Amino acid sequence: MTDVTFMNDSPTLLIVDDEPDFLRGLARSIPKEISCRVLTARRAADALSLMETNPVELVLTDIRMPDMNGIELLDEIKSRDPWVTVVIMTAYGSIDIAVDAIRKGAYDFVQKPFKPDEINRILKKALERNSLIRENIRLRSRLTGMPDLESFLSDHPGMTHVLRTIRTVAAIDVTVLIRGESGTGKELAARAIHMLSPRGERPMVTVNCPTVPESLLESELFGYAKGAFTGASTNKEGLIHEADGTTLFLDEIGDITPAMQTKLLRLIQEREIKPLGSPHSKLVDVRIIASTNRDLEAKMAEGSFREDLFYRLNVVTVFMPSLREFPQHIPILAQRFVQQAALEYGIPPKSISEEAMHHLMTQPWPGNIRQLRNAMQKAMIFCKGDVLQLSDFLDEQGKVNTPHLDTSGVRQPFRVARDELLEDFTRRYLVDALTRNHGNVSAAARESGLERQHFQKLMRKCNVKPDVFRTECNQELQCNSGLQFREIE
Ligand SMILES: Nc1ncnc2c1ncn2[C@@H]1O[C@H](COP(=O)(O)OP(=O)(O)OP(=O)(O)O)[C@@H](O)[C@H]1O
């Protein structure tokens, strides 16, 4: 992976090709007037990881690559950020592949070997298109009042992908499905999408599907006509009518009955509602955002969730990561909840001891961010001093909370539960070892009796990054000694 040129505030072009000489030559041949930062990657996987940490506007990719071909890469890029412009390089004569790429959302294609003028013309056009799209999104956000997304979703690198998707889908009127475990911030993400969208000036209409009794859900959503059932003494508009012109957020859609699924499918397909007992249908203009913490694929397999509804909802999917996947996110969130609680309860903010932070980072948090927020609030209320200590996070018996070892409420299949427990144990073990060794991977591996590579493999599997465990003195030491500080994986 190389960063060839860099110009401030310029868009970024990422060139992907497994031929090192061709890649280098092409990157160097991009003329100055196409003012862009050029990144290169020799494998699709490297390209995707570069895109996690760099805002890439334009991708120029070869079709034939060993790990993932250009069309698969195109699919993956589009599912992450539909606004990235992708240009495909094909071998001479493979016009069918080029057409397929365009059908799948590529902006253009160019046949190898190509002349510099030809590729430069395409790149210029592609960058122009991209800047128009971005400008459009920016203006719309300004008009609707951009909320400070970072302030609640955090700009931790692990969350940049989620943030980018939220910003992008906000600007286009597509149906969005937000998936993730309970308490990961699905509703918050739905609000962010709505507020950033052109519909954001009006409030979003939220329906928490499981909390509305099944017998009432249809009339609540679609409304009813006078005389539709005993007690219907007047016409009543439903929530979908209320959401006409704005966003309808269907929270926990995985829990609705097959009959309601059919009705919602009709709404999504035809944008039409027919109140209960009314002979008339009417068109509505609603943008639908749905969320679920259910395994919809499993529900489809057992026949309790309609496939056609799933595909209608799943135009764009946002996956909210669990705290287990991003323990590095915990210190930022914990500090933020301390500040929030201080403001809310009118008490001075407190710092968090190293021991307490370590405890927070090694908990499995099955209730995710919600559970962390509650733990922080409780600790803030009961802590007597200026520093939150480990004891402020222990349960009534003075024990460290270890919910995963309590199997009484576990409903998962044995293998799933066992694998989760094992991964949780491994992650805690790694975090402990890295904390003790101030983020020094070699030392932590030595102490654990593991090969460094094995230790790194486990870190990758459990998404544990060493940087957060590095103390200031350790960082200084490494920087002063002239060593590269970032871990190269
Ligand atoms: N990134 C975040 N930063 C700060 N607070 C957050 C964040 N994500 C979630 N929260 C807070 O955590 C709580 C749970 O969030 P939210 O209700 O959006 O989760 P959810 O995934 O919709 O949960 P459920 O599936 O149980 O409905 C809320 O109080 C929310 O404000």
Side-chain angles (χ1 to χ4, degrees):
M1 292 186 263
T2 341
D3 189 345
V4 179
T5 3
F6 184 80
M7 295 177 197
N8 272 341
D9 294 332
S10 309
T12 301
L13 159 68
L14 170 62
I15 312 179
V16 195
D17 197 301
D18 60 330
E19 253 304 309
D21 292 342
F22 174 81
L23 189 60
R24 215 171 302 122
L26 181 56
R28 290 211 181 113
S29 74
I30 306 293
K32 283 232 164 57
E33 73 256 25
I34 303 187
S35 68
C36 61
R37 175 191 188 200
V38 184
L39 298 176
T40 60
R42 283 172 52 191
R43 294 181 326 135
D46 292 343
L48 291 170
S49 65
L50 267 177
M51 292 180 77
E52 300 253 301
T53 43
N54 293 275
V56 172
E57 270 82 13
L58 174 58
V59 177
L60 175 61
T61 178
D62 192 22
I63 281 282
R64 276 200 204 121
M65 287 180 295
D67 60 334
M68 185 192 272
N69 71 37
I71 300 276
E72 288 165 336
L73 177 62
L74 165 73
D75 276 344
E76 188 58 39
I77 292 173
K78 289 285 164 183
S79 74
R80 293 177 180 207
D81 183 348
W83 291 119
V84 175
T85 303
V86 181
V87 175
I88 300 279
M89 297 182 277
T90 59
Y92 182 73
S94 46
I95 201 78
D96 288 354
I97 300 179
V99 171
D100 186 34
I102 301 281
R103 240 190 251 124
K104 292 196 159 130
Y107 169 66
D108 207 343
F109 69 93
V110 56
Q111 294 198 30
K112 278 179 170 176
F114 41 76
K115 297 209 170 78
D117 277 1
E118 195 183 353
I119 189 73
N120 292 340
R121 186 181 45 79
I122 292 178
L123 292 181
K124 257 192 210 156
K125 253 185 9 184
L127 284 170
E128 266 166 32
R129 167 196 187 257
N130 215 279
S131 87
L132 281 176
I133 291 172
R134 302 281 166 194
E135 183 61 9
N136 196 357
I137 294 173
R138 203 177 56 76
L139 287 175
R140 281 185 186 197
S141 314
R142 229 192 233 171
L143 283 176
T144 52
M146 168 90 89
D148 182 9
L149 271 184
E150 278 82 351
S151 74
F152 63 83
L153 284 166
S154 139
D155 53 2
H156 188 278
M159 293 297 284
T160 49
H161 171 54
V162 174
L163 276 175
R164 206 182 313 140
T165 314
I166 286 178
R167 286 211 179 88
T168 309
V169 297
I172 35 174
D173 229 17
V174 285
T175 302
V176 181
L177 179 62
I178 306 175
R179 303 184 68 169
E181 292 175 19
S182 179
T184 47
K186 296 186 294 298
E187 181 169 352
L188 217 56
R191 285 195 184 286
I193 294 173
H194 167 72
M195 282 166 72
L196 287 171
S197 81
R199 296 170 184 261
E201 275 162 35
R202 282 189 44 201
M204 174 170 90
V205 177
T206 300
V207 184
N208 188 277
C209 300
T211 60
V212 184
E214 197 190 317
S215 54
L216 292 185
L217 191 57
E218 183 177 358
S219 58
E220 281 294 309
L221 279 176
F222 293 86
Y224 53 81
K226 183 177 170 185
F229 47 83
T230 327
S233 51
T234 52
N235 290 342
K236 184 170 178 277
E237 305 286 10
L239 291 168
I240 300 174
H241 172 86
E242 201 180 304
D244 197 1
T246 177
T247 306
L248 179 68
F249 175 46
L250 298 168
D251 199 7
E252 302 305 351
I253 196 155
D255 296 316
I256 59 171
T257 60
M260 266 320 284
Q261 291 172 25
T262 309
K263 298 207 157 84
L264 283 177
L265 178 67
R266 182 151 178 257
L267 167 72
I268 298 175
Q269 275 171 339
E270 291 160 34
R271 305 280 153 176
E272 206 177 68
I273 52 169
K274 190 154 166 277
L276 262 172
S278 164
H280 307 293
S281 305
K282 79 172 207 176
L283 287 173
V284 282
D285 165 32
V286 286
R287 189 229 182 127
I288 292 173
I289 304 181
S291 82
T292 186
N293 57 18
R294 300 280 174 187
D295 182 349
L296 291 185
E297 285 77 7
K299 289 192 119 227
M300 285 188 287
E302 70 185 26
S304 60
F305 200 84
R306 291 184 66 128
E307 267 190 48
D308 41 10
L309 178 60
F310 174 77
Y311 289 113
R312 286 279 171 180
L313 292 171
N314 196 28
V315 180
V316 176
T317 300
V318 178
F319 287 98
M320 301 304 291
S322 66
L323 273 188
R324 277 190 309 289
E325 291 165 88
F326 280 113
Q328 315 91 304
H329 201 182
I330 291 174
I332 306 170
L333 287 168
Q335 312 273 10
R336 187 172 307 149
F337 292 135
V338 164
Q339 303 287 347
Q340 270 181 14
L343 278 177
E344 204 171 315
Y345 306 125
I347 48 180
K350 300 176 199 288
S351 54
I352 306 170
S353 77
E354 217 175 281
E355 199 188 10
M357 187 62 92
H358 174 238
H359 166 74
L360 295 176
M361 290 187 70
T362 48
Q363 293 308 294
W365 301 114
N368 291 294
I369 300 181
R370 178 183 292 113
Q371 191 187 5
L372 175 66
R373 190 205 53 191
N374 293 346
M376 297 310 297
Q377 281 180 339
K378 194 166 153 206
M380 280 291 282
I381 292 169
F382 291 107
C383 170
K384 300 268 183 303
D386 303 334
V387 182
L388 296 175
Q389 305 288 354
L390 173 63
S391 55
D392 294 309
F393 296 96
L394 301 183
D395 65 16
E396 290 73 24
Q397 287 85 41
K399 288 190 192 135
V400 175
N401 193 5
T402 50
H404 262 76
L405 295 179
D406 173 11
T407 51
S408 52
V410 175
R411 297 270 181 279
Q412 294 161 309
F414 171 74
R415 271 167 206 266
V416 178
R418 184 199 56 191
D419 290 350
E420 272 192 14
L421 176 59
L422 193 62
E423 187 173 324
D424 182 44
F425 164 80
T426 311
R427 194 172 56 72
R428 285 173 188 230
Y429 187 97
L430 299 176
V431 168
D432 274 336
L434 286 165
T435 309
R436 268 194 308 276
N437 290 285
H438 308 288
N440 183 328
V441 178
S442 306
R446 233 184 345 267
E447 187 193 274
S448 317
L450 293 173
E451 292 288 326
R452 191 177 192 277
Q453 274 124 321
H454 188 181
F455 195 90
Q456 279 183 307
K457 194 168 159 201
L458 291 174
M459 278 168 44
R460 272 195 294 276
K461 184 160 175 246
C462 299
N463 218 333
V464 172
K465 303 266 187 315
D467 301 24
V468 282
F469 305 98
R470 290 188 173 134
T471 56
E472 268 167 34
C473 108
N474 190 21
Q475 288 179 22
E476 242 174 52
L477 203 89
Q478 301 209 28
C479 294
N480 289 343
S481 66
L483 290 175
Q484 181 127 27
F485 171 53
R486 280 186 69 83
E487 187 76 20
I488 311 287
E489 298 198 47

